[in-house]
Amino acid sequence: MPATVLFVTAASAKVAGLELLTPTGEQGLVYPHVQDWITSQLKNKMPVKDISASVLVKGIKQWSVFEQKKAGKIIRTVFKIT
């Protein structure tokens, strides 16, 4: 299943206890599968954590969200699964 990186902004509200993310309309790289991105991150010794169950992405039916630490900051990567 192809996965497209989405650029999102965090909404100030929560829905059903989940953080709401809104796509900005910009899209990034397309991967043949999310696992391809995860594998590349792990090869570069950048551990990732799946936080998909704690967020909602507005207007997207299937998504996957991963969190990782880079230079002391927490970076989230959001994928639209098609």
Side-chain angles (χ1 to χ4, degrees):
M1 299 174 108
T4 305
V5 176
L6 293 179
F7 295 95
V8 297
T9 56
S12 59
K14 288 192 172 193
V15 177
L18 302 175
E19 184 177 357
L20 181 63
L21 302 175
T22 306
T24 62
E26 296 181 50
Q27 296 184 354
L29 296 174
V30 177
Y31 293 90
H33 196 276
V34 173
Q35 190 63 40
D36 296 328
W37 178 83
I38 293 171
T39 302
S40 70
Q41 297 301 306
L42 294 177
K43 281 183 181 178
N44 292 326
K45 301 190 186 311
M46 302 288 288
V48 296
K49 179 181 175 185
D50 185 358
I51 61 164
S52 301
S54 63
V55 298
L56 291 173
V57 181
K58 184 178 179 181
I60 306 297
K61 290 184 180 181
Q62 289 185 337
W63 67 88
S64 190
V65 182
F66 294 92
E67 197 172 74
Q68 62 189 147
K69 290 184 180 180
K70 284 187 181 178
K73 292 184 179 181
I74 295 177
I75 306 295
R76 289 185 178 171
T77 305
V78 180
F79 292 95
K80 175 183 174 183
I81 310 297
T82 54

